[in-house]
Each structure stands twice: as C-alpha cells, then as structure tokens.
Amino acid sequence: MGTENPGRPNFPMRPSSTPFASALPTMTPFSSRGPMVGSEASNIRPIPPGAPPTMTPFSSAGSSPPTRFSDPSVPSPPITSVPSAGGPFQQYPTPPFPSTVQTTPTRAPPVGQPPFQPPANQISAPPVSFRPQSQVPPVPMVSAPQTVNFPPSSLNVPQPPSESLFSGPRPNFQPTLPPPDLSYSTTKSTFQPPFPAYPSKQPAVSQVPSPFPAQQGSFMPPPPASSSPFSSQQGSYVPPPPIAAPLGYQSRDQMQHPGSAPPIGGIQTLTEDFSSLSLASMPGSIEPGLDYRTLPRPLDGDVEPSSFVEMYPMNCDPRYLRLTTSAIPNSQSLVSRWHLPLGAVVCPLAEAPEGEEVPVINFASTGIIRCRRCRTYVNPYVTFTDAGRKWRCNICSLLNDVPGEYFANLDATGRRIDLDQRPELIKGSVEFVAPTEYMVRPPMPPLYFFLIDVSISAVRSGMIEVVAQTVRSCLDELPGFPRTQIGFITFDSTIHFYNMKSSLMQPQMMVVSDLDDIFVPLPDDLLVNLSESRNVVETFLDSLPSMFQDNVNVESAFGPALKAAFMVMSQLGGKLLIFQNTLPSLGVGRLKLRGDDLRVYGTDKEHILRLPEDPFYKQMAADLTKYQIGVNVYAFSDKYTDIASLGTLAKYTGGQVYYYPSFQSGIHGEKLRHELARDLTRETAWEAVMRIRCGKGIRFTSYHGNFMLRSTDLLALPAVDCDKAYAMQLSLEETLLTTQTVYFQVALLYTASCGERRIRVHTAAAAIVTDLGEMYRQADTGAIVSLFCRLAIEKTLTNKLDDARNSLQVRIVKALREYRNLYAVQHRLGARMIYPESLKFLCLYGLALSKSVPLKGGYADAQLDERCAAGFTMMALPVKKLLKLLYPSLIRIDESLLKPSAQADDFKNIMKRLPLVAESLDSRGLYIYDDGFRFIIWFGRMLSPDIAGNLLGPDFAAELSRVTLHQHDNEMSRRLMGMLKKLRESDPSYYQLSYLVRQGEQPREGLLLLVNLLEDQMGGTSGYVDWIMQIHRQVQQNA
Amino acid sequence: MEDLFIWLISFFILIALIVLIVYQLMCLADLEFDYINPYDSSSRINKVVLPEFILQGFLCFLYLSSGHWVMSLLCAPYLYYNVRLYTRKQHLVDVTEIFNLLHREKKQRLFKLAYLVVLLFFAVFWMIWSAIEDADD
C-alpha cells in the first residue's frame, strides 16, 4: 500500500527483511500459532479437532472476494483450515501447499521467537513438530517464495472483509457454524481455479512481494485471535514469508554496501501488519466489550527484539544497548509523528552469561585506533580501503590512516586478512586497555567508606549488627585485592572517626562534637589499606555492635558527618555507603518532617515534597561527583526520613537507594545481608565517564537516570556496576537524513578494580527509514517503557502525580492514533483497536506504570518515602528488571510441590506465569507473586492443610504475619525453598524476601497482593479491560 | 538639573545590569560549548545573580522616589519576576540540573536582556530630553 512503498526502494536490503522480522512474532506460523491459541484461547475452551469455525468466515468471505476483486483470493482459506484441524499437512490437495509447509518451518524461526511460549496445549501439539530450529537456508529461498507468494499476494485483498466479519457479529461458539467439511469443499472449489492462472502472473509477482503478503497473513490473524480464537487459526496459516532479505546479510561487505543488493521496486503490498482487538460487543453476551482473557500479556517476560541483532549481526548484544525503535526516522516530520520516545537504554556493564564476556584488547604500542575527527573507536562497521592503508569512520565518514603496527592487507572482498584475530573488528562489544593519555591521575584503588548511624533507633533495629557482620564476611571478596582501601565513620549527635593504622592492635576512636566547623582529626589512617590493616578492621567490625548497644542518643548529625566523610575521601574518591536511620536533626542539612500536611496533596505544591528540601544535598552531591565519590544510601527508618532529600545524594553520584521501611534485623536482616553483600562484591567500575556517539544529523539531547552530566553529552559516573542502566533521547539535527544507516557507539572509560584503566565500547547500527509503519514494526516495547518510566518519574518531580500519569496516557493514545491513521484508509477497521505487533504490551505496561509505586494514586496509596525510594530505584533499573517489576509473575506452585517425582530440572515448566487478575487465584492453590524485589506467597483458603503444615511447620494455623518461612525437614518444604532459591538466583541484584499471606486475611492480603493485581479494578483505578476501552475511545476521538 | 542627574544614574545602572546579564549568558554559552565545566559555570553565575536582583530593585526604587512613576511601573514586572524567583528559591542555577535547564535559563536571560535594552532606550531618551530642557532654561 501506499504507506509501504515509498520506503522500500531506498533500502533494498532491509525492507525485505524487516517486515519479516517484525512480522515474525506472530508469524512463525506454526510455532506461534500454537501459543496464540494455547495461551489465550485454549484456556477458555477446548478447540475441537475439526475446528470448523475457522471456515465460516471464509465461506462467507469467499463469496465476496470474487465479486469484489475478481481475483483468486480464496486460496488462503484452505490454508487456514488445515491448522485448525490440527491435522497433517498432507491433506493439501494441491502441490503448492506442501512446499509452503516446508518452507515455513525453516524460514520463520530465525527471526522471532514467538512471544508466547505455548503452554503446552492441545493445539500446539501438532505445530510443535514444525517448529523450525534451523537457520534460514539461503539457497532454497528463491524458489520457495515463488510457490508461496502467489496465494498470499492475492489473498491480502480479500482478507480485510473477512476480517471484519470475524470481529463483529461473529459468534463465539461453534454451534452456529457450518460443519467443517462443507466449508472445506467450498473453499476448495473456489480455490482451485486460480492456479492455472497463476503461472502467468508469477513473473510479475515473484520473489519480492512475497514477504509482505506473508506478513500480512500472519499478522492479521492474531487480531481476530483476540476476538475469537478460531479466527486466529485462520490466518496464522498463510504461508510463511519467503525471505529474500537474510541473503543480503550473509557477508559483511554486502552489508556495508546495501546498494549492491538487488533493488526491489514496485512492490504491491496490501498488508495489514498490525494486531487488533475487537471491541465490539459479541452477540450472545450481555456485556459489551472484550474478553479479558484474550488481551495480550507478557507472560514470557521481556523478549528482546531480535530484528536489531538479526539485521546487523555485528551489533552489540541488546542487553547493553536497546533502541526504542531500530528503525530511525529520516525526517523531522516523521519524528513528530512517532509520539513515543525516540532514544536508547544503555546498560554498559550488564552481566554477560558465561562464554560471552566482553573481550579485552590491549593495543599497547599502537595506541587505541580512533577517528581523528569524531573520536569514534574502531569498530566492526569501519571500512578499510586503499589496500588496507586507510580506514573510513562509519560515524563521520572521515578517511583515517591506519597506523603502521595495525596494518593488514585486504583480501579480494576488501576484508582484512587478520579479521579473525581482531575482536574489535568483528564484535559489537569490546574493551580496550587505555594508555596513560586516558588518565588524569594514577588509577584509583577500589575504596569503600562506611558512614553508619549509631543513634538509638539504629541500635534497636539491629541494623548495625547486620551491617557489621556482612561487611566483615565480605572483606575477602571486596574487589581489587590487595589495593582495596576501607574506612569508617559513625555518627549520632557527634561524629566518631576511627584510626585503623596497621600497627595498632585496636582501632582508636576519636569523637568530634563541633558540628559547625568540621575538621578531620587525623591527616591519614582514617582510610587504610584493607590488606595491611585487616586485623584492625576485623576487630573494629566485631566490636562495633557492642560499642553502641547502650547508646541512647536520639539525634543525628548526618550533614556534618557526610561532610567529614567527604573530606576523608576527597583525595581518592570511591564508594560511600550511608546507613541512615534517624532523620538528620543537627548541623547543616538538617531536615524536618514533611508530608504530614494533607492539604498539600493534589495542589501545585505537591511535587515539592518529592524534591530535596535543602539545597545542601544537591550541592553536596555535585561535590561528591566532582571528587569521584559514588553514594549508596541505605535507609531504615520506621518514620519519615525524607528519602527525597537523601536520595539526591545517590541520584547525582550514580548510586542507588535501598529502602527498608521499619527495618527489623529479625525480619529484614536477610535482605539487607544479601543486598549489601552484592553491593560490596559485584564488579564495579570506578571514576567512570560515559559518552554515546551517533552519526551525523542526529544527536542525543536528554539523559535520564542516576548520574551527573559533566558536559552536554558526558555522563559522570563515580562508581558504576552491572545493575545500572541509563536512558537517553535523541533528536534530529537535520531536517532530512540521507544516509541509510546510523551508528551508535557507547564508550565507558573507567578504572577496573584491578587498577587498569579501560574503555568499554559498544557499537550498534540501525537503519534509517522513511516510513512510519516500519518504525512501529521495529519498535522495542521494553526500551520504550523504560524511557516512559523515567520521563514519568521526572515529571512527578515538577508536576502533580495526575499530570504525570495523564501525559503518559496521552502519549500512548497519540501513538496508537497515529498508527491507526496509517491504516484507517486502506482497511476497514471498524470498531477494532489496532496496534503494532511489536507494541502489543505497550498499553498493559502503560497501565502498570501508572499503577507503579512512584506514580500511583494519591496521598494515601503510598508513603511519601516509599514513593521516592521506588522512584530513585526505577530510574536506574535495567530494562528486564523494570519490566519484571511492572508486570510481576504470579505462579501457582501447589501442584508441582505435590508431584511426587517432579525434579527441579523442569523448573521452566513449573514457572508458568499467570495473568495478574484475581480470577487467577484459586482458593485451593498456593501461589508465588514475584516482582523481583519480594515474594508474596499466597495461601488459598482451601489449600490442603497438609501442604500448609509441611511448609510452615507447627505454626501453620497462626497468623501469617508473624510466621517466617524457613526450611522444615520434609520434601515439600525443601522443594519450595529450592524453588525460591532458583528464582532468586535468576536475578541476584536484589533479594526477594518472602511475605506470607492467607486468603481473606485483611487488611494484609489487600495491601500485599490484591493491590498488585494490576489488571483488576481497584479503588478508582481502571482495570486492564477498562483501560483498553478508555484508550480505544480516546484513539477514536478525532481519529 | 536634578532630573538629568537621576537619568544619568539610571543609565549607568542599566548598563551595569546589561553587563551582568551578558556575563551570565556568556557563562551559559561557554558551558554549552564545553569550554568550562558546570561547577565553575554555575558558581560564576550564582555570584552575580543577587547583585543583579538588588541593583534592579534599587533602580525601581530610584524611579519611584524621584517621581518617575511611569518608568517605575515599567520596571515593576521585572522586579516582580525576580522576587518570585527568589521566594521560590529558584534564582540560583542548580549545578546538578544545569544541562537540563540550560535552554530555559538562556531564554530567561535573553528576555531580561531585551527588556533592559528597551528600558535603556527610554532612559537615554529621557536623559536627552531633560538635558535639552535644562539647556532651554
């Protein structure tokens, strides 16, 4: 259609592949179809083997196409019918079909993993055998498309009509439908005739068009799927997309000269590559609207977009860099129609699985190869010319000389002959060892400094004891032995320094009580080398809890203590861990109780509560960053502690906030222990700066996350680790981009714990497109949601919560409306709600976001401190972790606990996520709710006492708020603990504490679990169905 | 004669205000082009913000007390804006957020600059006017 065509010709290579890629998720016809049906429909009702219903639409549709299009459109029906029957493919009477079938499997798989993994269902079974495992065989492709493409190409026209039939009046159940056989025969009969005609057409259509039709076929169906499962089967069948594209990517050279690929022109695409939900009321049901069971849900967690890596295999892994869409718009006008954030989410130090570590390269004598003009680091996308003597920068296209030591000859295809020994030329992520030019001072040693509150409430909560024990147990694992430095300050109304000189037997404590004029009592020895003073440090940590156990001081001179710590650390920088329990009450930076004035809420002054009260904290944070000090705040108070102010310290120094409201060592000790240990022992990059470069014509304009900007595009990160991600938005500087590809390069210059200065470089390429539809197809929900989240949280700092939520909703609506307008003309959309397949979860995440702790409700829905702490945390979370938090998993476990022989190895099968609705909870069941930060274990009212007894021991009848979960001596308990352990191991960045709750236990159940079932309607907030309806209505207004 | 003297003083005050604003704008521009770091830039700007506010307040008061209430009225919006910034504690630039606010801060100062240039034009006009009148007498 019109929208597609203009874009295509420009990108001979990509176009063909992209539709494919985006199409895939739904498409992988066989595998995905199963899931679709399985996850959505099959729960609802078993689909009869014959699956007759599918046919009806066709028979009705069949009549219309001929008249309208005088085209052999019908072929598709037969195709569709087969799957529904779940029968063998041999059924196909005509030769072309078998061939299609064969192609499908091979083709489909590479690109997209179906977003739903089929929950092993009746229907999915047959398809399974077809699920393609192999890579795309380039060879057969050419022939395959030909056979295939014919039916689809003709098919797309008729489809819409049939489509509308489906969604509208279509009854849910089979009874009304004609028997399958009948429809079969009719379709067949209509269908056969076209074939003779086909050959004549073939030349014209050949190869190219096929991807689109295919796409279409596969695409459409899912939509109906939501309205009725049957129709979904119908579509998913259409022969798989023959891809011409992957061919192009086989070799690096080809990639770099896309122009060399055969141009594709004049493609007729009558695609409907979107998903849709029918919102019309279904006959037979009184309730208007849609069935909640059919709505899309990310029950497989976050699926990284594969197209990004598929198209540019040398890109860095998406765990390091994710673009909100991997199709970059070429003009301002296109950007303004996109409405969603355009940018990237970067997690420079993300943990790589075993075997995929980033290679470290030492250029030693050569020096690091960089572009003279734009300072880009050498990467896989640079091209070598002039017999290997020059290289062209891929970002600014300047021709640079290749240094003598780096020279290598080129082979016939223009590739360097030493390519396989040069990881920087084949991998998207590498790490260079930086020479002395990259240092302003000798690399600093890893440095940990502890600032510990010892006032009475800290002592009572038991926090000091847990901290001292944990630090002591981690001493061996602190990174950077033997250079690691360590130091301590404790404070209440006075500040206590500790001399830990290695020659001492015991630490010496020095008390400074002059808070107005802080001075450091000793020039050095407050900060000591851990390996030299190990004994003193251990003695100190052993005695710390007892030293203050009788302390009755209720004041906190936090500000002066912070200044003192800053003075001690400013020579070297490092990581400052603050353990804070009492609202700062003395000296500079004292804070007062805020937020108990209810009248402020809902007014224009509301946001001030979420901002630091005293400019001291911002100023301090700026100074700390300047001296390379990163701050992590651990807050424990049971009362208001003004996290908004304290968190500022972490925010601008690249740190994070851990908040344990009403900390009690007996209950929360384990969580603190794990998280502190993780904080101390994870690999940390010191005194780091990060910059992201991108090609000419675009520019990163705003950055979101926990860091401080040192210049317009340089992020200062005093201490950064694998659990931190940063988001940025880009904008076009030129009105029209003429290049076809744009490159991004993230460079993180840091000091590794071993004392080496290093540069970690991630490079990625993305295509520039002229077509909005393409941008939507290649969108990455995870990155978009991550950016939305950060923007919304930032907005709460200057506006009311309501405004932040509304602006989020408005942007989603605008985006969907724009998308609808793309297709409204060519397709009869009727009352359907359409959305791109790639963004099918966007609405749900939007809802989740507006119900997340930093944004939800009003005054009463979350404590001010909790809100602020969650805000600081979510500003730093990597995409996967954030999505998990937004849409937590709910898992039923009682069955797997009872299964006699079930071994832990089918962990994956057990961990079947359920939709977050109250209906998912069965009162006979036992469920785990896991949002990545805590477990909530829900005991159904009618759960067999046997299970409860085994898991909880003798106190299973007691009130669960007083019961803690620990292992009992029986198989079931062991298995549960094993399960929890596995879940925790899957993401060690936070420790999930288990909260037990029994059905009907009020108000605990409501607070802990029910309020988190975000698809349900809850005190004034809309449920998922209402939300969709609401968005749909708004999309249609002035659409 | 007295009038001429007042116009002369106000002329110099206005010149001083314009210099202060231009200085702040230069600091912001330097920051944007990465010639200085945000710490220096913001401390330099913050040093002259209060003098600017006080000087402007004084100018407004001078006009009022010397009976040039029209000019005083013309100065009032500027004064009101400054007072509002001050009471909301938004008058100083924030080093941690300076890059995000850069655009706004620059625009705000450009408006101030334009405003001051208009005032300067009036002041010069009245100064010449009163000089001629004095000469006529």
Side-chain angles (χ1 to χ4, degrees):
Chain A
M1 295 240 165
T3 39
E4 317 264 29
N5 288 337
R8 294 287 135 87
N10 290 347
F11 311 103
M13 314 223 55
R14 221 165 350 89
S16 37
S17 76
T18 41
F20 183 49
S22 56
L24 274 169
T26 15
M27 168 187 307
T28 45
F30 299 103
S31 53
S32 77
R33 188 184 66 84
M36 271 312 225
V37 180
S39 64
E40 302 187 339
S42 63
N43 302 338
I44 312 175
R45 69 218 116 165
I47 297 183
T54 343
M55 299 328 302
T56 33
F58 276 108
S59 52
S60 57
S63 61
S64 66
T67 51
R68 309 179 98 230
F69 302 96
S70 68
D71 201 20
S73 54
V74 207
S76 61
I79 311 183
T80 38
S81 69
V82 179
S84 58
F89 287 94
Q90 301 88 295
Q91 278 186 6
Y92 284 112
T94 45
F97 283 102
S99 73
T100 8
V101 176
Q102 279 157 3
T103 46
T104 331
T106 40
R107 276 308 141 60
V111 192
Q113 278 308 339
F116 299 103
Q117 216 52 329
N121 253 301
Q122 320 96 316
I123 312 175
S124 53
V128 171
S129 55
F130 286 99
R131 191 170 306 161
Q133 270 116 8
S134 64
Q135 271 293 336
V136 186
V139 193
M141 224 167 283
V142 182
S143 63
Q146 291 175 343
T147 28
V148 178
N149 60 29
F150 152 67
S153 67
S154 47
L155 162 113
N156 31 20
V157 185
Q159 198 110 357
S162 60
E163 179 64 14
S164 59
L165 286 173
F166 282 134
S167 48
R170 172 157 215 206
N172 251 345
F173 293 103
Q174 309 96 310
T176 48
L177 302 171
D181 297 351
L182 177 67
S183 53
Y184 251 125
S185 54
T186 51
T187 43
K188 259 184 226 160
S189 59
T190 21
F191 153 63
Q192 235 117 359
F195 268 96
Y198 177 53
S200 63
K201 280 185 152 189
Q202 197 171 358
V205 197
S206 74
Q207 272 213 23
V208 185
S210 47
F212 301 110
Q215 189 185 10
Q216 176 235 357
S218 51
F219 252 125
M220 293 248 331
S226 31
S227 63
S228 77
F230 299 119
S231 45
S232 77
Q233 289 170 338
Q234 171 232 355
S236 27
Y237 241 134
V238 177
I243 336 153
L247 284 177
Y249 291 96
Q250 306 292 327
S251 81
R252 186 168 161 249
D253 313 335
Q254 263 174 310
M255 242 181 98
Q256 289 178 348
H257 314 291
S260 64
I264 307 173
I267 309 151
Q268 269 300 322
T269 53
L270 295 168
T271 62
E272 192 180 273
D273 43 2
F274 47 76
S275 308
S276 68
L277 283 172
S278 170
L279 296 165
S281 60
M282 297 177 190
S285 68
I286 309 161
E287 295 253 325
L290 66 180
D291 186 344
Y292 80 92
R293 284 165 292 204
T294 60
L295 295 170
R297 290 186 179 86
L299 298 182
D300 277 339
D302 172 38
V303 178
E304 285 165 355
S306 48
S307 61
F308 190 48
V309 179
E310 292 285 324
M311 266 159 46
Y312 297 98
M314 287 178 296
N315 273 3
C316 61
D317 193 280
R319 67 176 155 263
Y320 302 116
L321 172 69
R322 285 173 77 163
L323 296 170
T324 55
T325 169
S326 17
I328 303 296
N330 78 327
S331 64
Q332 297 278 12
S333 61
L334 211 52
V335 176
S336 61
R337 289 169 64 202
W338 166 242
H339 298 297
L340 296 170
L342 182 62
V345 181
V346 176
C347 183
L349 291 173
E351 273 176 312
E354 201 84 0
E356 288 181 42
E357 289 89 357
V358 177
V360 180
I361 298 156
N362 195 343
F363 278 125
S365 57
T366 326
I368 295 176
I369 319 282
R370 299 178 72 176
C371 173
R372 263 181 299 140
R373 184 164 61 193
C374 65
R375 313 299 292 149
T376 299
Y377 296 87
V378 69
N379 63 66
Y381 295 104
V382 304
T383 41
F384 286 86
T385 55
D386 200 6
R389 282 190 296 273
K390 305 238 174 184
W391 62 275
R392 187 177 293 282
C393 168
N394 54 326
I395 288 193
C396 69
S397 58
L398 181 78
L399 215 49
N400 292 276
D401 292 329
V402 174
E405 294 98 329
Y406 196 65
F407 175 80
N409 281 312
L410 304 186
D411 68 8
T413 55
R415 294 147 48 111
R416 281 171 65 112
I417 48 173
D418 63 346
L419 208 56
D420 42 345
Q421 288 133 44
R422 297 279 182 197
E424 73 275 14
L425 296 180
I426 42 179
K427 293 213 164 165
S429 301
V430 287
E431 209 161 87
F432 299 114
V433 175
T436 46
E437 298 100 275
Y438 293 85
M439 304 172 195
V440 283
R441 58 173 186 175
M444 60 176 276
L447 188 154
Y448 292 89
F449 200 86
F450 299 85
L451 186 59
I452 304 169
D453 185 349
V454 292
S455 61
I456 183 166
S457 57
V459 176
R460 287 226 181 114
S461 70
M463 171 271 277
I464 300 175
E465 206 173 342
V466 178
V467 170
Q469 285 167 2
T470 313
V471 174
R472 194 184 189 288
S473 67
C474 289
L475 287 180
D476 280 325
E477 295 155 68
L478 289 184
F481 175 86
R483 301 163 69 239
T484 316
Q485 305 243 354
I486 198 167
F488 298 87
I489 287 183
T490 57
F491 65 96
D492 42 30
S493 63
T494 55
I495 301 168
H496 323 125
F497 295 85
Y498 298 89
N499 179 357
M500 306 238 197
K501 203 172 166 153
S502 55
S503 53
L504 294 171
M505 286 304 290
Q506 278 200 346
Q508 277 175 350
M509 177 159 125
M510 282 153 288
V511 178
V512 172
S513 52
D514 180 3
L515 301 180
D516 297 325
D517 184 21
I518 286 293
F519 62 94
V520 176
L522 272 182
D524 34 42
D525 295 331
L526 295 178
L527 198 55
V528 293
N529 183 301
L530 177 60
S531 49
E532 285 167 14
S533 303
R534 178 71 186 253
N535 289 334
V536 192
V537 172
E538 280 180 358
T539 322
F540 168 74
L541 288 171
D542 288 339
S543 57
L544 179 65
S546 55
M547 251 193 285
F548 294 99
Q549 64 188 359
D550 301 322
N551 195 351
V552 289
N553 203 319
V554 293
E555 303 283 355
S556 160
F558 174 72
L562 181 65
K563 275 187 132 176
F566 170 65
M567 285 151 98
V568 175
M569 293 177 77
S570 56
Q571 287 298 315
L572 284 172
K575 199 163 183 169
L576 173 62
L577 293 95
I578 297 173
F579 300 88
Q580 200 274 349
N581 214 318
T582 312
L583 190 70
S585 57
L586 294 175
V588 283
R590 80 191 131 232
L591 298 167
K592 51 180 189 279
L593 280 173
R594 298 193 285 173
D596 38 6
D597 182 6
L598 296 182
R599 282 166 301 175
V600 178
Y601 292 93
T603 69
D604 292 339
K605 293 207 169 126
E606 176 194 298
H607 70 268
I608 295 176
L609 293 174
R610 295 187 281 270
L611 286 173
E613 186 192 6
D614 189 333
F616 167 79
Y617 288 95
K618 274 199 163 178
Q619 190 56 48
M620 208 59 216
D623 291 340
L624 288 163
T625 313
K626 193 174 176 181
Y627 290 95
Q628 306 291 357
I629 301 167
V631 177
N632 280 357
V633 177
Y634 291 77
F636 302 96
S637 178
D638 48 349
K639 297 195 240 14
Y640 177 75
T641 41
D642 206 344
I643 299 285
S645 298
L646 296 174
T648 312
L649 294 171
K651 174 173 170 136
Y652 293 108
T653 59
Q656 67 193 98
V657 175
Y658 296 88
Y659 182 47
Y660 308 86
S662 317
F663 181 85
Q664 284 302 322
S665 60
I667 304 168
H668 308 98
E670 202 56 22
K671 185 172 170 67
L672 172 61
R673 214 165 274 142
H674 277 86
E675 289 174 1
L676 178 57
R678 164 96 177 163
D679 189 11
L680 293 175
T681 55
R682 65 187 162 191
E683 185 51 51
T684 304
W686 307 89
E687 46 179 357
V689 287
M690 185 170 87
R691 175 172 271 144
I692 178 164
R693 294 182 171 83
C694 54
K696 244 197 342 205
I698 58 177
R699 196 163 68 92
F700 281 97
T701 44
S702 68
Y703 299 83
H704 312 273
N706 292 357
F707 57 81
M708 198 174 131
L709 280 173
R710 188 167 298 164
S711 74
T712 37
D713 61 344
L714 189 68
L715 276 59
L717 305 165
V720 52
D721 50 65
C722 53
D723 299 327
K724 310 269 162 51
Y726 307 91
M728 43 215 82
Q729 291 193 89
L730 54 84
S731 65
L732 262 59
E733 278 186 316
E734 290 166 17
T735 39
L736 205 64
L737 298 179
T738 48
T739 45
Q740 298 184 347
T741 315
V742 64
Y743 300 93
F744 299 93
Q745 188 171 67
V746 181
L748 178 84
L749 170 64
Y750 70 96
T751 301
S753 295
C754 62
E756 220 169 30
R757 197 82 172 137
R758 288 187 186 168
I759 306 163
R760 181 173 280 218
V761 179
H762 301 297
T763 313
I768 294 182
V769 299
T770 53
D771 168 27
L772 190 61
E774 187 65 31
M775 287 178 71
Y776 279 108
R777 266 190 292 278
Q778 306 230 17
D780 175 357
T781 312
I784 290 173
V785 170
S786 184
L787 254 164
F788 262 147
C789 166
R790 290 165 195 239
L791 291 171
I793 292 173
E794 280 178 6
K795 187 137 195 172
T796 63
L797 301 181
T798 51
N799 291 79
K800 285 185 278 187
L801 294 175
D802 249 350
D803 298 343
R805 287 192 297 258
N806 286 342
S807 72
L808 172 72
Q809 189 176 350
V810 166
R811 284 187 82 169
I812 293 178
V813 167
K814 273 189 185 162
L816 290 179
R817 183 185 298 155
E818 196 71 52
Y819 188 76
R820 188 182 174 86
N821 290 346
L822 272 185
Y823 294 98
V825 188
Q826 309 132 17
H827 304 279
R828 296 192 195 159
L829 298 175
R832 281 185 300 153
M833 165 160 184
I834 69 163
Y835 49 86
E837 175 64 23
S838 57
L839 294 178
K840 61 181 170 211
F841 303 134
L842 183 66
C843 288
L844 178 57
Y845 281 126
L847 176 68
L849 207 48
S850 54
K851 289 187 175 185
S852 64
V853 179
L855 293 171
K856 71 177 171 190
Y859 162 70
D861 291 296
Q863 294 282 321
L864 184 56
D865 270 348
E866 230 170 285
R867 222 183 258 283
C868 293
F872 286 121
T873 304
M874 285 166 76
M875 287 295 281
L877 283 186
V879 176
K880 266 197 193 317
K881 187 93 188 153
L882 177 71
L883 294 187
K884 175 89 180 285
L885 174 63
L886 289 179
Y887 197 88
S889 44
L890 180 66
I891 302 160
R892 181 168 184 167
I893 51 168
D894 53 310
E895 283 153 9
S896 51
L897 286 181
L898 283 174
K899 233 178 275 169
S901 65
Q903 279 304 309
D905 50 28
D906 36 285
F907 183 67
K908 268 258 149 50
N909 295 336
I910 300 171
M911 294 300 142
K912 198 169 82 190
R913 296 174 62 171
L914 299 168
L916 289 174
V917 281
E919 278 91 337
S920 299
L921 298 173
D922 179 351
S923 61
R924 282 162 302 183
L926 178 68
Y927 294 81
I928 297 186
Y929 167 93
D930 169 21
D931 64 5
F933 290 80
R934 56 183 178 169
F935 292 137
I936 292 164
I937 303 180
W938 186 87
F939 290 77
R941 195 182 287 129
M942 290 152 76
L943 178 68
S944 85
D946 194 30
I947 299 183
N950 274 335
L951 297 181
L952 302 174
D955 41 352
F956 73 93
E959 202 182 320
L960 287 183
S961 56
R962 301 216 193 92
V963 180
T964 50
L965 196 65
H966 48 90
Q967 191 157 320
H968 293 276
D969 191 25
N970 59 61
E971 178 60 19
M972 210 179 278
S973 176
R974 268 193 294 272
R975 204 178 283 164
L976 175 68
M977 296 317 265
M979 225 181 257
L980 296 182
K981 189 156 164 262
K982 275 241 166 75
L983 282 173
R984 282 176 184 137
E985 277 167 358
S986 65
D987 177 14
S989 56
Y990 289 89
Y991 181 84
Q992 296 103 321
L993 212 58
S994 308
Y995 294 86
L996 310 179
V997 66
R998 186 172 285 138
Q999 184 179 18
E1001 192 181 340
Q1002 293 301 349
R1004 233 172 101 81
E1005 185 193 20
L1007 288 175
L1008 280 177
L1009 185 62
L1010 298 185
V1011 82
N1012 292 321
L1013 297 176
L1014 57 94
E1015 290 185 25
D1016 279 338
Q1017 204 164 338
M1018 257 302 146
T1021 60
S1022 43
Y1024 192 13
V1025 175
D1026 302 333
W1027 171 260
I1028 290 278
M1029 298 292 277
Q1030 200 180 334
I1031 290 211
H1032 179 59
R1033 255 197 311 278
Q1034 290 175 358
V1035 166
Q1036 283 201 308
Q1037 280 165 7
N1038 17 304
Chain B
M1 193 59 210
E2 183 189 292
D3 234 18
L4 179 64
F5 191 62
I6 286 184
W7 287 122
L8 213 58
I9 293 178
S10 76
F11 173 77
F12 284 118
I13 292 179
L14 279 170
I15 293 288
L17 280 174
I18 288 176
V19 168
L20 289 179
I21 296 286
V22 169
Y23 175 74
Q24 294 179 25
L25 276 171
M26 272 169 48
C27 287
L28 289 174
D30 280 355
L31 180 68
E32 195 175 357
F33 294 103
D34 209 7
Y35 294 129
I36 51 175
N37 65 47
Y39 301 98
D40 292 345
S41 177
S42 60
S43 73
R44 283 180 199 179
I45 293 173
N46 288 344
K47 244 183 260 169
V48 297
V49 165
L50 271 187
E52 178 215 323
F53 283 20
I54 292 167
L55 208 57
Q56 204 273 335
F58 175 73
L59 179 71
C60 199
F61 178 75
L62 182 76
Y63 282 138
L64 193 67
S65 58
S66 60
H68 299 292
W69 57 272
V70 176
M71 282 300 278
S72 174
L73 224 58
L74 277 177
C75 283
Y78 192 130
L79 184 67
Y80 169 73
Y81 182 71
N82 281 351
V83 169
R84 210 177 70 129
L85 281 185
Y86 186 77
T87 51
R88 292 183 173 196
K89 296 182 186 160
Q90 290 171 352
H91 57 294
L92 297 179
V93 298
D94 175 359
V95 60
T96 51
E97 290 288 340
I98 190 164
F99 285 103
N100 296 333
L101 302 175
L102 197 61
H103 193 65
R104 220 183 70 196
E105 298 282 342
K106 265 173 86 173
K107 210 153 86 182
Q108 175 210 345
R109 283 172 175 80
L110 280 173
F111 271 110
K112 280 187 171 182
L113 188 64
Y115 197 95
L116 287 173
V117 168
V118 172
L119 281 182
L120 184 71
F121 174 79
F122 280 112
V124 169
F125 174 82
W126 286 113
M127 184 168 66
I128 295 172
W129 180 273
S130 55
I132 293 171
E133 269 193 344
D134 277 358
D136 284 351
D137 295 341

